[in-house]
Amino acid sequence: MISELQPNEIFVFGSNAGGLHLGGAARFAFENFGAVWGEGHGLHGRTYAIDTMSGFAVLRENVRDFVGFAAEHPELRFLVTEVGCGIAGYTPAQVAPLFAGSGRNVVLPASFR
């Protein structure tokens, strides 16, 4: 459970396309780390939202975009939650391979390793 962030850390969580952060990690990101209501993907505050609710192809595309973004920002450390494994209904075995090739500044949950 990620409860606080160091100055260079970003909380990575699963969202929906509409950015309605009603529960789970999305709500926590909204209440604690600056996730923006109405923004369902990308960097906002000290968070990075990945759309997990618009189908697996969209999830794959959002993770690809995230991995590229993280590579462009080695000064940041990205703490990834179990995106897609809550209400979206995917398993860690389905989602973890999408993060293949992530850099050393991307910290994956144990279930994704």
Side-chain angles (χ1 to χ4, degrees):
M1 176 77 176
I2 301 163
S3 60
E4 60 184 71
L5 297 173
Q6 297 301 311
N8 68 327
E9 291 180 331
I10 304 296
F11 184 84
V12 182
F13 68 100
S15 184
N16 55 64
L20 306 177
H21 309 308
L22 294 171
R27 183 179 186 126
F28 191 79
F30 177 70
E31 292 176 347
N32 295 281
F33 300 134
V36 175
W37 195 265
E39 296 292 339
H41 65 291
L43 183 70
H44 304 284
R46 300 196 51 214
T47 71
Y48 191 101
I50 295 176
D51 180 0
T52 62
M53 298 297 293
S54 297
F56 197 76
V58 172
L59 171 58
R60 181 175 46 245
E61 181 180 323
N62 271 232
V63 172
R64 185 187 68 233
D65 292 346
F66 162 73
V67 170
F69 182 86
E72 293 171 0
H73 295 278
E75 75 281 6
L76 298 175
R77 185 169 185 245
F78 296 90
L79 307 179
V80 180
T81 63
E82 284 189 329
V83 297
C85 298
I87 193 169
Y90 301 110
T91 67
Q94 292 172 299
V95 178
L98 302 178
F99 289 89
S102 294
R104 297 173 76 177
N105 63 331
V106 175
V107 180
L108 298 174
S111 61
F112 283 17
R113 291 185 230 129

